[in-house]
Every structure is written in structure tokens, then in C-alpha cells.
Coordinates of all heavy atoms in Angstrom, one line a residue:
I1 N 92.9 63.3 209.2 CA 94.2 63.9 209.6 C 94.2 64.9 210.8 O 95.1 65.5 211.1 CB 94.9 64.7 208.4 CG1 93.9 65.9 208.0 CG2 95.1 63.7 207.2 CD1 94.6 66.8 207.0
S2 N 92.9 64.9 211.4 CA 92.7 65.7 212.5 C 92.8 65.0 213.9 O 92.1 64.0 214.0 CB 91.3 66.5 212.4 OG 91.1 67.3 213.5
G3 N 93.7 65.4 214.8 CA 93.8 64.9 216.0 C 95.2 64.3 216.2 O 96.1 64.7 215.5
T4 N 95.5 63.5 217.2 CA 96.7 63.0 217.6 C 96.9 61.5 217.2 O 95.8 60.7 217.1 CB 97.1 63.1 219.1 OG1 96.0 62.5 219.8 CG2 97.0 64.6 219.4
P5 N 98.0 61.0 216.9 CA 98.2 59.6 216.4 C 97.5 58.6 217.4 O 97.1 57.5 217.0 CB 99.7 59.5 216.3 CG 100.2 60.8 216.1 CD 99.3 61.7 217.0
D6 N 97.6 58.9 218.7 CA 97.1 57.8 219.7 C 95.7 58.0 220.0 O 95.2 57.3 221.0 CB 98.0 57.9 220.9 CG 97.9 59.4 221.5 OD1 97.6 60.3 220.9 OD2 98.1 59.5 222.8
Q7 N 95.0 58.8 219.4 CA 93.6 59.0 219.7 C 92.7 58.9 218.4 O 93.2 59.0 217.3 CB 93.3 60.4 220.3 CG 93.9 60.6 221.7 CD 93.3 59.8 222.7 OE1 92.0 59.6 222.7 NE2 94.0 59.2 223.7
P8 N 91.3 58.7 218.5 CA 90.6 58.6 217.3 C 90.6 59.9 216.6 O 90.9 61.0 217.1 CB 89.1 58.4 217.9 CG 89.4 57.7 219.3 CD 90.6 58.4 219.7
P9 N 90.2 59.9 215.3 CA 90.2 61.2 214.5 C 89.1 62.1 215.1 O 88.1 61.7 215.7 CB 89.9 60.8 213.1 CG 89.3 59.4 213.2 CD 89.9 58.8 214.4
L10 N 89.2 63.4 214.8 CA 88.3 64.4 215.4 C 87.7 65.3 214.3 O 88.3 65.6 213.2 CB 89.2 65.4 216.2 CG 89.8 64.9 217.4 CD1 90.7 66.0 218.0 CD2 88.8 64.5 218.4
L11 N 86.4 65.5 214.5 CA 85.6 66.4 213.7 C 86.1 67.8 214.1 O 86.4 68.0 215.2 CB 84.1 66.2 213.8 CG 83.5 65.0 213.2 CD1 82.2 64.6 213.8 CD2 83.4 65.2 211.6
P12 N 85.8 68.8 213.3 CA 86.2 70.2 213.7 C 85.1 70.7 214.7 O 84.0 70.2 214.7 CB 86.0 71.1 212.3 CG 85.3 70.2 211.5 CD 85.5 68.8 211.8
G13 N 85.5 71.7 215.4 CA 84.6 72.3 216.4 C 83.5 73.3 215.9 O 82.9 74.0 216.7
F14 N 83.5 73.5 214.5 CA 82.5 74.4 214.0 C 82.2 73.8 212.6 O 82.9 72.8 212.2 CB 83.0 75.8 213.8 CG 84.2 75.9 212.8 CD1 84.0 76.5 211.6 CD2 85.5 75.4 213.1 CE1 85.0 76.6 210.7 CE2 86.5 75.6 212.2 CZ 86.3 76.2 211.0
G15 N 81.3 74.4 211.9 CA 80.9 73.9 210.6 C 81.9 74.2 209.5 O 81.6 75.0 208.6
L16 N 83.0 73.5 209.5 CA 84.1 73.8 208.5 C 83.6 73.6 207.1 O 83.9 74.5 206.3 CB 85.3 72.9 208.9 CG 86.5 73.1 208.0 CD1 87.0 74.6 207.9 CD2 87.6 72.2 208.4
A17 N 83.2 72.5 206.8 CA 82.8 72.1 205.4 C 81.7 73.1 205.0 O 81.7 73.6 203.8 CB 82.3 70.7 205.2
D18 N 80.7 73.4 205.8 CA 79.6 74.3 205.4 C 80.2 75.7 205.2 O 79.7 76.3 204.3 CB 78.5 74.3 206.5 CG 77.7 73.1 206.6 OD1 77.2 72.7 205.4 OD2 77.5 72.6 207.7
A19 N 81.0 76.2 206.1 CA 81.5 77.5 206.0 C 82.4 77.7 204.7 O 82.3 78.6 204.0 CB 82.4 77.9 207.2
S20 N 83.2 76.7 204.4 CA 84.0 76.8 203.2 C 83.2 76.7 202.0 O 83.4 77.4 200.9 CB 85.1 75.7 203.2 OG 84.6 74.4 203.3
T21 N 82.1 75.8 202.0 CA 81.2 75.7 200.9 C 80.5 77.1 200.6 O 80.3 77.4 199.6 CB 80.2 74.6 201.1 OG1 80.9 73.4 201.2 CG2 79.2 74.5 200.0
G22 N 80.0 77.7 201.7 CA 79.4 79.0 201.6 C 80.3 80.0 200.9 O 79.8 80.7 199.9
L23 N 81.6 80.1 201.2 CA 82.5 80.9 200.6 C 82.6 80.6 199.0 O 82.5 81.5 198.1 CB 83.8 80.9 201.2 CG 84.0 81.6 202.5 CD1 85.3 81.2 203.2 CD2 84.1 83.2 202.2
M24 N 82.8 79.3 198.8 CA 82.9 78.9 197.4 C 81.6 79.1 196.6 O 81.6 79.5 195.4 CB 83.3 77.4 197.2 CG 83.6 76.9 195.8 SD 84.7 77.9 194.9 CE 86.3 77.6 195.7
A25 N 80.5 78.9 197.1 CA 79.2 79.1 196.5 C 79.1 80.6 196.1 O 78.6 80.9 195.0 CB 78.1 78.6 197.3
A26 N 79.5 81.4 197.0 CA 79.4 82.9 196.7 C 80.3 83.2 195.6 O 79.9 84.0 194.7 CB 79.7 83.7 197.9
F27 N 81.5 82.6 195.6 CA 82.4 82.9 194.5 C 81.9 82.4 193.2 O 82.0 83.1 192.2 CB 83.8 82.2 194.8 CG 84.7 82.2 193.7 CD1 85.4 83.4 193.3 CD2 84.9 81.1 192.9 CE1 86.3 83.4 192.3 CE2 85.8 81.1 191.8 CZ 86.5 82.3 191.4
L28 N 81.4 81.2 193.2 CA 81.0 80.6 191.9 C 79.7 81.4 191.4 O 79.5 81.6 190.2 CB 80.6 79.2 192.1 CG 81.7 78.2 192.3 CD1 81.2 76.8 192.7 CD2 82.7 78.2 191.1
T29 N 78.9 81.9 192.4 CA 77.8 82.7 192.0 C 78.2 84.0 191.2 O 77.7 84.4 190.1 CB 76.9 83.2 193.3 OG1 76.4 82.0 193.9 CG2 75.8 84.1 192.9
L30 N 79.2 84.6 191.7 CA 79.8 85.9 191.1 C 80.5 85.6 189.9 O 80.4 86.4 188.9 CB 80.6 86.7 192.1 CG 79.9 87.2 193.4 CD1 80.9 88.0 194.2 CD2 78.8 88.1 192.9
A31 N 81.1 84.4 189.8 CA 81.7 84.0 188.4 C 80.6 83.9 187.4 O 80.8 84.3 186.3 CB 82.5 82.7 188.6
A32 N 79.5 83.2 187.8 CA 78.4 83.0 186.8 C 77.7 84.4 186.5 O 77.3 84.6 185.3 CB 77.4 82.1 187.5
V33 N 77.7 85.2 187.6 CA 77.0 86.6 187.2 C 77.9 87.4 186.3 O 77.4 88.0 185.4 CB 76.9 87.4 188.6 CG1 76.6 88.8 188.3 CG2 75.8 86.8 189.4
H34 N 79.2 87.3 186.4 CA 80.1 87.9 185.5 C 79.9 87.5 184.1 O 79.7 88.2 183.1 CB 81.5 87.8 185.9 CG 82.6 88.4 185.0 ND1 82.8 89.7 185.0 CD2 83.3 87.9 184.1 CE1 83.8 90.1 184.1 NE2 84.0 89.0 183.4
E35 N 79.7 86.2 183.9 CA 79.5 85.6 182.6 C 78.1 86.0 182.1 O 77.9 86.3 180.9 CB 79.6 84.1 182.7 CG 79.8 83.5 181.3 CD 78.5 83.1 180.5 OE1 77.4 83.1 181.3 OE2 78.5 82.9 179.4
Q36 N 77.0 86.0 183.1 CA 75.7 86.5 182.7 C 75.8 87.8 182.1 O 75.0 88.2 181.2 CB 74.9 86.3 183.9 CG 73.5 86.8 183.8 CD 72.9 87.2 185.1 OE1 73.3 88.2 185.7 NE2 71.8 86.6 185.5
R37 N 76.5 88.8 182.8 CA 76.6 90.2 182.3 C 77.1 90.2 180.9 O 76.8 91.1 180.1 CB 77.3 90.9 183.2 CG 76.8 91.0 184.7 CD 75.6 91.9 184.8 NE 75.1 92.1 186.1 CZ 74.2 91.4 186.8 NH1 73.6 90.5 186.3 NH2 73.9 91.8 188.1
R38 N 78.0 89.3 180.6 CA 78.7 89.4 179.3 C 77.9 88.8 178.1 O 77.9 89.3 177.0 CB 80.0 88.5 179.4 CG 80.9 88.6 178.1 CD 82.4 88.3 178.5 NE 82.4 87.0 179.3 CZ 82.4 85.8 178.7 NH1 82.2 85.7 177.4 NH2 82.4 84.7 179.4
T39 N 77.0 87.7 178.4 CA 76.4 87.0 177.5 C 74.9 87.2 177.5 O 74.1 86.7 176.6 CB 76.7 85.5 177.5 OG1 76.2 84.9 178.7 CG2 78.2 85.2 177.5
G40 N 74.3 87.6 178.6 CA 72.9 87.7 178.8 C 72.2 86.3 179.1 O 71.0 86.2 179.1
R41 N 73.0 85.3 179.4 CA 72.5 83.9 179.6 C 72.8 83.5 181.1 O 73.8 83.8 181.6 CB 73.0 83.0 178.6 CG 72.8 83.2 177.2 CD 73.5 82.4 176.3 NE 73.2 81.0 176.5 CZ 73.9 80.0 175.9 NH1 75.0 80.2 175.2 NH2 73.5 78.8 176.2
G42 N 71.8 82.7 181.6 CA 72.1 82.1 182.9 C 72.6 80.7 182.9 O 73.0 80.2 181.7
Q43 N 72.8 80.1 184.0 CA 73.4 78.7 183.9 C 73.2 78.1 185.3 O 72.7 78.8 186.3 CB 74.8 78.6 183.5 CG 75.8 79.4 184.5 CD 77.2 79.4 184.0 OE1 77.8 78.2 183.8 NE2 77.9 80.5 183.7
V44 N 73.5 76.8 185.5 CA 73.4 76.1 186.8 C 74.7 76.0 187.4 O 75.7 75.6 186.7 CB 72.8 74.7 186.5 CG1 72.8 74.0 187.9 CG2 71.4 74.8 186.0
V45 N 74.9 76.4 188.7 CA 76.0 76.2 189.5 C 75.8 74.9 190.3 O 74.9 74.9 191.1 CB 76.3 77.3 190.4 CG1 77.5 77.0 191.3 CG2 76.7 78.6 189.5
D46 N 76.7 73.9 190.1 CA 76.5 72.6 190.9 C 77.6 72.5 191.8 O 78.8 72.3 191.4 CB 76.4 71.4 189.9 CG 76.4 70.1 190.5 OD1 76.3 69.9 191.7 OD2 76.5 69.1 189.7

């Protein structure tokens, strides 16, 4: 969906997927930490 109809599709000019993944990984880490504080147990974030 990136670009104009008369041209090939475009990749973003920066690491968009990596950057958004970094944010989500930090959020999921803190969600797991919150649960860890409550139960004393760890888990895997995939």
C-alpha cells in the first residue's frame, strides 16, 4: 500500500518493522514483568 498507483510498491526509508517491533517487545517485556512480580514466575515472550 506504499507508493503511487502507477509505480512499484515502496519500502519505508527507515527500519519501520524493526522499530515498531522494538516498541512492542519492550511493552510485552513489561507486561511479563508485571505478571512476574505478582506470581514470582517467569515465562517466554514470543
Side-chain angles (χ1 to χ4, degrees):
I1 63 173
S2 180
T4 57
D6 58 336
Q7 295 291 324
L10 294 174
L11 288 161
F14 70 106
L16 174 59
D18 285 313
S20 58
T21 297
L23 283 166
M24 181 55 68
F27 169 77
L28 292 174
T29 298
L30 294 181
V33 166
H34 179 74
E35 198 275 343
Q36 176 205 62
R37 298 290 191 259
R38 188 163 49 83
T39 66
R41 300 171 59 193
Q43 60 181 305
V44 175
V45 174
D46 173 10

